[in-house]
């Protein structure tokens, strides 16, 4: 026996799939629907007449085993006249024409039974009276059954269809988000394609926005370009009035500059509709993600950085199968160095830090990233020379990436001895331990604060650059290659402006900036670290590489954009307060990329600084004296000793006064 419920399910599934994919409701023109509804009774009567006539014809066929005898034609024609007249009247009297088919229930079924039974009895009576007993008797019964099944089947079929299919279409439509795509380029078109092929994304595409006037009013892949970015608010309003709300705008401009992204964000914000974006060009080119991975707009998007080109083979050659030491591995730069280095399959990644919990965190993360490389977390202090030498020997380290340092400018102004011990003596320990143990390459992370330093932290970084530069190049006796890589602020690093602003915004403000004209270079941490790896394979030794940081960003604009990204209006919902500049802070950090002292390299984003190096012997003696001054904890003499080799140092605050007094005394022969 056939299992009808299984077949019924399959048919329902088939219909549902077809109808849902074609979105039937969208296709059915509203005018046609309106015409059917206003002439409903006529349609129903035509349908009933057809069913009554066809049932009788089918009954004759069934009665005569589907071979219709010519002699029966007269009976059929008489029968049709009588049955149509009788049943149409009975159906009308019983009232089965009324009621919505999609809501048919048991009472409708009973009504249909009564109407059909009544119609068949009257039909039988009339036919016997008018045609006589020659009319085939079994036709009365077959006709009753067929007509009842057809009239009831049609109603319950409509109900089934509505409950199983239309309901779902309507529900789906109600939950779908109306989407406006900002950018009708390749990325926007790819987004349309992916949304259409992936119904779980649950978007109803309303249209494109594009600033290119040639695209306006053009239909691309069946989606209209509705106007430019400036029209967003008007378009959103227009669709809201038509009850087609736009619930989300996705900016699909992966190669947009930071300025273009900020403009697009401002346009979207003014419409009051939440705005998201697709992955950036670097991620798309790397093939890591799809355009349809729609995400929140981040500060990084507003910087609009271009993807970094890397010499992967050279980097792989210098890392694969070797022991690599990263100092400061628990910090922002050090941890990203670990993440990127482990992809190049080192034999052992020695992650060194004095901060146990931070080291633990990055160890856990690295263990989940590679099954090949061994991750060796090492607790150690770069101020301890013996421990550093022990680590380099124990692991047979071939490359060192030195990112351990103190970096907070105002704090270091008040902790001179600690800053110098950690940043300068610590670096000197690392350099010596690497050199004496034949490490192949040593990369020191420097900072833009080393350029014409005005603070203790920047001064220590400039001194460390000089120490690294004084080391022999790779053609020297044991072939170690020492380089420094200098760059400006990275976004989101520990204690930097982005996490601070985020916290202030989350608290409801105010967002504090030190000066309205303060500008800083910004790079993302992964971008800076990629360039550090690239620079590490470019150097011959003794170079100071300087990374191209793009355009400097006004901190006030950054604060405003971050407030907007969090869905608030700057100075309206969240105030911005200017607190005044702190000791040692500059309005603008130079990177010396545009000075006479830098030369380009073959890599467009990496320059080399060509300041004259200081002789190694001199530096050795100078560091010896520094160590002894530090042990005496004489802050002014320590700073003055450092200023001797960094004459461009311009101390600020109390150190300006103290150093001036000291030089006056020295001039007076004191
Ligand atoms: N963050 C930036 O925006 C930025 C930009 C350019 C350059 N830099 C430079 O990069 C370096 C690292 O910066 P970061 O942002 O990663 O800082 P961070 O504070 O996040 O990390 C520094 C890490 O070094 C460790 N460390 C400090 N002293 C140590 C010691 N004596 N022994 C062992 N470990 C020690 C700390 O525990 C910390 O984990 C600094 O020299 C900084 O000037 C940073």
């Amino acid at each position: 026996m056939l299992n009808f419920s299984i077949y019924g399910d399959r048919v329902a599934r088939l219909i549902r799939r077809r109808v849902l994919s074609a979105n039937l409701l969208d296709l059915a023109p509203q005018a046609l629907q309106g015409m059917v509804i206003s002439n409903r009774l006529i349609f129903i009567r035509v349908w009933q007449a057809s069913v009554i006539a066809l049932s009788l014809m089918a009954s004759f066929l069934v009665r005569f085993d589907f071979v219709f005898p010519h002699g029966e034609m007269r009976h059929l024609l008489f029968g049709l006249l009588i049955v149509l007249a009788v049943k149409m009247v009975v159906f009308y009297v019983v009232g089965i024409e009324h009621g919505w088919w999609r809501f048919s229930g048991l009472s409708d079924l009973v009504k249909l039974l009564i109407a059909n039974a009544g119609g068949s009895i009257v039909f039988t009576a009339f036919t016997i009276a008018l045609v006589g007993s020659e009319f085939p008797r079994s036709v009365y019964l077959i006709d009753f059954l067929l007509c009842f099944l057809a009239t009831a089947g049609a109603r319950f079929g409509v109900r089934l269809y509505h409950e199983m299919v239309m309901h779902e279409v309507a529900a789906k439509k109600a939950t779908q988000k109306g989407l406006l795509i900002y950018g009708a380029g390749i990325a926007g078109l790819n987004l349309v394609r992916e949304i259409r092929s992936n119904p779980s994304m649950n978007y109803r595409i309303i249209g494109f926005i594009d600033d290119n006037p040639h695209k306006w009013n053009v239909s691309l892949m069946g989606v209209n370009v509705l106007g430019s970015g400036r029209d967003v608010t008007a378009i959103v309003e227009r669709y809201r009035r038509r009850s087609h709300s736009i619930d989300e705008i996705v900016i699909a401009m992966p190669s947009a500059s930071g300025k273009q992204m900020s403009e697009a964000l401002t346009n979207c914000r003014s419409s009051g509709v939440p705005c998201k974006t697709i992955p950036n060009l670097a991620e798309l080119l790397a093939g890591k993600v799809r355009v349809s991975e729609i995400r929140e707009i981040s500060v990084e998007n507003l910087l609009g950085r271009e993807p970094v080109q890397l010499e992967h083979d050279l980097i792989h050659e210098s890392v694969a199968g070797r022991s690599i030491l990263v100092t400061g591995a628990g910090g922002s730069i050090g941890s990203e160095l670990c993440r990127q280095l482990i992809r190049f399959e080192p034999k052992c990644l020695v992650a060194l830090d004095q901060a146990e919990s931070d080291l633990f965190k990055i160890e856990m993360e690295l263990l989940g990233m590679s099954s090949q490389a061994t991750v060796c977390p090492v607790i150690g202090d770069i101020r301890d020379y013996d421990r550093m030498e022990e680590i380099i020997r124990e692991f047979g380290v071939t490359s060192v990436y030195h990112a351990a340092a103190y970096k907070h400018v105002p704090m270091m102004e008040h902790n001179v001895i600690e800053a110098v011990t950690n940043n300068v003596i610590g670096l000197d320990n690392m350099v010596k331990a690497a050199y004496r143990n034949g490490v192949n390459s040593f990369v020191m992370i420097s900072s833009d604060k080393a350029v014409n330093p005005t603070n203790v932290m920047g001064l220590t970084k400039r001194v460390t650059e000089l120490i690294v530069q004084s080391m022999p190049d790779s053609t020297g006796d044991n072939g170690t290659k020492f380089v420094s890589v200098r760059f400006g602020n990275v976004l989101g690093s520990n204690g930097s402006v982005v996490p601070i602003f985020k916290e202030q915004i989350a608290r409801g403000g105010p967002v504090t900036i030190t000066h309205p004209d303060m500008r800083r270079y910004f790079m993302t941490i992964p971008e800076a670290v990629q360039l550090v790896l690239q620079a590490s394979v470019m150097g011959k030794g003794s170079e100071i590489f300087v990374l191209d940081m793009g355009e400097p960003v006004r901190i006030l604009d950054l604060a405003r954009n971050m407030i907007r990204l969090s869905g608030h209006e700057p100075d309206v919902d969240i105030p911005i307060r200017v607190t005044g500049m702190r000791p040692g802070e500059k309005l603008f950090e130079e990177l010396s990329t545009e000075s006479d002292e830098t030369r380009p390299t073959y890599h467009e984003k990496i320059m080399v600084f060509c300041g004259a190096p200081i002789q190694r012997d001199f530096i050795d003696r100078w560091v010896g004296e520094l160590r002894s001054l530090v042990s005496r904890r004489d802050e002014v003499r320590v700073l003055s000793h450092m200023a001797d080799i960094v004459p461009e140092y311009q101390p600020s605050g109390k150190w300006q006064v103290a150093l001036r007094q000291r030089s006056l005394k020295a001039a007076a022969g004191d």
Side-chain angles (χ1 to χ4, degrees):
M1 205 170 112
L2 288 174
N3 186 339
F4 285 103
S5 69
I6 289 178
Y7 280 87
D9 275 0
R10 277 191 199 155
V11 171
R13 268 203 307 274
L14 193 74
I15 297 173
R16 199 183 309 153
R17 218 179 298 141
R18 288 269 156 82
V19 173
L20 284 178
S21 62
N23 231 344
L24 201 64
L25 270 190
D26 283 344
L27 300 179
Q30 298 226 322
L32 183 68
Q33 286 183 26
M35 191 186 81
V36 173
I37 289 170
S38 55
N39 298 298
R40 192 172 160 272
L41 264 184
I42 298 175
F43 277 102
I44 288 178
R45 281 177 189 153
V46 171
W47 150 257
Q48 280 179 352
S50 315
V51 167
I52 293 167
L54 288 172
S55 296
L56 190 73
M57 286 192 255
S59 309
F60 268 85
L61 281 178
V62 173
R63 161 68 183 79
F64 294 105
D65 293 336
F66 296 93
V67 186
F68 191 77
H70 267 296
E72 289 299 323
M73 185 53 83
R74 202 176 64 85
H75 289 146
L76 175 63
L77 290 176
F78 270 114
L80 278 174
L81 287 175
I82 299 167
V83 84
L84 277 168
V86 167
K87 285 197 179 175
M88 287 302 281
V89 173
V90 174
F91 283 6
Y92 174 76
V93 173
V94 180
I96 65 165
E97 295 168 341
H98 304 291
W100 286 86
W101 289 17
R102 73 177 75 161
F103 302 116
S104 301
L106 196 61
S107 59
D108 297 287
L109 194 68
V110 173
K111 237 185 206 179
L112 281 171
L113 188 65
I114 295 170
N116 274 285
S120 287
I121 291 167
V122 181
F123 165 56
T124 308
F126 268 92
T127 313
I128 292 173
L130 295 174
V131 183
S133 56
E134 300 134 49
F135 195 90
R137 267 168 292 155
S138 53
V139 166
Y140 299 127
L141 184 64
I142 299 169
D143 171 66
F144 161 69
L145 289 174
L146 289 182
C147 194
F148 173 64
L149 283 178
T151 46
R155 278 166 173 73
F156 283 89
V158 168
R159 177 178 153 183
L160 192 78
Y161 172 75
H162 269 277
E163 282 180 5
M164 298 183 75
V165 181
M166 297 311 282
H167 201 72
E168 217 167 301
V169 172
K172 193 164 184 280
K173 236 185 139 191
T175 59
Q176 273 180 336
K177 284 186 183 168
L179 179 72
L180 200 59
I181 301 176
Y182 200 123
I186 307 247
L189 293 171
N190 280 340
L191 184 60
V192 172
R193 202 168 291 127
E194 288 198 21
I195 289 175
R196 283 182 179 162
S197 64
N198 184 0
S200 67
M201 289 185 74
N202 218 17
Y203 280 120
R204 190 168 23 94
I205 301 169
I206 306 271
F208 280 119
I209 289 294
D210 203 290
D211 288 338
N212 180 352
H214 298 297
K215 292 187 182 169
W216 296 344
N217 301 320
V218 169
S219 171
L220 302 169
M221 292 175 69
V223 179
N224 290 339
V225 183
L226 304 171
S228 78
R230 292 213 183 100
D231 306 326
V232 170
T233 309
I235 292 168
V236 167
E237 198 39 49
R238 197 163 74 228
Y239 276 79
R240 193 171 288 150
R241 267 188 263 120
R242 287 191 207 161
S243 317
H244 283 294
S245 66
I246 294 173
D247 305 296
E248 206 168 289
I249 304 173
V250 170
I251 302 178
M253 306 193 299
S255 51
S257 67
K259 197 163 166 259
Q260 287 167 321
M261 264 318 256
S262 298
E263 263 171 36
L265 178 68
T266 312
N267 289 335
C268 297
R269 286 266 322 132
S270 64
S271 71
V273 174
C275 181
K276 293 191 174 166
T277 191
I278 58 172
N280 64 31
L281 195 58
E283 291 170 287
L284 292 172
L285 288 179
K288 285 191 255 169
V289 290
R290 302 172 69 95
V291 235
S292 53
E293 286 184 27
I294 293 171
R295 48 179 74 163
E296 298 296 334
I297 298 175
S298 64
V299 193
E300 283 85 345
N301 292 124
L302 301 180
L303 292 183
R305 308 286 303 178
E306 291 197 348
V308 173
Q309 306 295 330
L310 289 187
E311 289 177 299
H312 286 271
D313 292 350
L314 279 182
I315 300 171
H316 188 261
E317 206 177 293
S318 71
V319 175
R322 295 164 191 249
S323 280
I324 314 289
L325 168 64
V326 177
T327 70
S332 310
I333 309 276
S335 61
E336 181 62 22
L337 271 166
C338 291
R339 279 181 210 107
Q340 292 198 22
L341 281 165
I342 205 157
R343 297 202 185 108
F344 291 97
E345 300 164 346
K347 183 177 83 188
C348 172
L349 184 62
V350 186
L352 180 143
D353 208 293
Q354 61 181 1
E356 181 211 18
S357 299
D358 291 340
L359 195 56
F360 179 72
K361 259 191 239 152
I362 185 67
E363 184 201 0
M364 290 298 106
E365 192 184 329
L366 295 174
L367 289 177
M369 284 176 74
S370 167
S371 52
Q372 309 272 316
T374 318
V375 180
C376 307
V378 177
I379 293 286
D381 189 329
I382 55 168
R383 287 168 287 199
D384 179 351
Y385 176 80
D386 293 338
R387 174 76 176 128
M388 294 305 109
E389 197 161 54
E390 180 186 64
I391 292 165
I392 290 177
R393 282 208 192 124
E394 184 187 334
F395 293 98
V397 170
T398 52
S399 299
V400 176
Y401 289 85
H402 180 67
Y406 288 155
K407 64 166 188 183
H408 289 284
V409 169
M411 202 186 285
M412 292 308 109
E413 290 300 286
H414 304 294
N415 293 277
V416 173
I417 300 298
E418 290 310 314
V420 175
T421 314
N422 208 36
N423 291 5
V424 181
I425 311 282
L427 171 280
D428 189 58
N429 286 341
M430 291 306 305
V431 163
K432 285 192 174 124
Y435 182 72
R436 288 177 189 155
N437 291 286
V439 165
N440 294 343
S441 75
F442 186 100
V443 180
M444 201 270 293
I445 306 296
S446 187
S447 155
D448 57 357
K449 301 197 170 58
V451 183
N452 298 325
T454 56
N455 53 62
V456 172
M457 145 63 192
L459 179 63
T460 63
K461 292 312 277 188
R462 178 64 189 135
V463 169
T464 53
E465 284 182 355
L466 290 169
I467 295 175
V468 171
Q469 205 183 12
S470 73
M471 295 304 287
D473 64 22
S474 50
T475 56
D477 36 10
N478 74 350
T480 313
K481 197 173 74 174
F482 289 92
V483 299
S484 303
V485 184
R486 185 195 277 178
F487 52 93
N489 299 301
V490 289
L491 271 182
S493 69
N494 297 333
S496 70
V497 67
V498 170
I500 293 175
F501 283 176
K502 270 190 188 155
E503 244 179 74
Q504 292 177 330
I505 294 168
R507 271 191 270 120
V511 170
T512 54
I513 59 165
T514 56
H515 194 285
D517 291 327
M518 173 84 65
R519 277 163 203 270
R520 287 289 178 268
Y521 290 105
F522 279 108
M523 226 183 206
T524 64
I525 302 180
E527 187 183 357
V529 168
Q530 279 175 343
L531 287 169
V532 167
L533 297 187
Q534 174 63 32
S536 75
V537 293
M538 287 168 63
K540 299 251 177 312
S542 309
E543 292 101 337
I544 298 172
F545 288 109
V546 183
L547 305 185
D548 173 6
M549 301 288 295
E551 288 300 309
V553 177
R554 204 153 74 114
I555 301 291
L556 179 62
D557 294 339
L558 182 75
R560 285 192 175 135
N561 276 332
M562 284 187 65
I563 295 173
R564 284 193 193 108
L565 281 181
S566 67
H568 301 288
E569 206 42 54
D571 297 319
V572 178
D573 307 322
I574 299 209
I576 298 177
R577 193 191 300 150
V578 179
T579 55
M581 281 172 57
R582 294 170 297 186
E585 206 173 33
K586 286 186 192 174
L587 263 188
F588 186 73
E589 302 285 1
E590 305 139 85
L591 263 177
S592 67
T593 44
E594 277 165 22
S595 74
D596 295 341
E597 291 173 306
T598 53
R599 286 187 270 113
T601 65
Y602 65 85
H603 195 286
E604 54 171 2
K605 290 196 170 182
I606 302 178
M607 261 74 47
V608 66
F609 177 72
C610 25
I614 302 181
Q615 289 298 309
R616 180 72 209 157
D617 296 347
F618 175 83
I619 283 284
D620 266 345
R621 274 198 311 278
W622 181 90
V623 172
E625 286 162 27
L626 181 73
R627 283 178 186 262
S628 104
L629 290 173
V630 164
S631 66
R632 278 185 261 150
R633 307 195 68 79
D634 186 339
E635 291 181 322
V636 179
R637 288 194 66 191
V638 164
L639 283 181
S640 153
H641 187 62
M642 296 213 291
D644 287 345
I645 58 165
V646 186
E648 68 274 24
Y649 170 51
Q650 284 168 2
S652 48
K654 65 175 179 180
W655 299 126
Q656 188 181 22
V657 180
L659 286 173
R660 196 179 305 131
Q661 281 172 355
R662 189 183 144 67
S663 58
L664 286 175
K665 268 192 201 166
D670 232 0

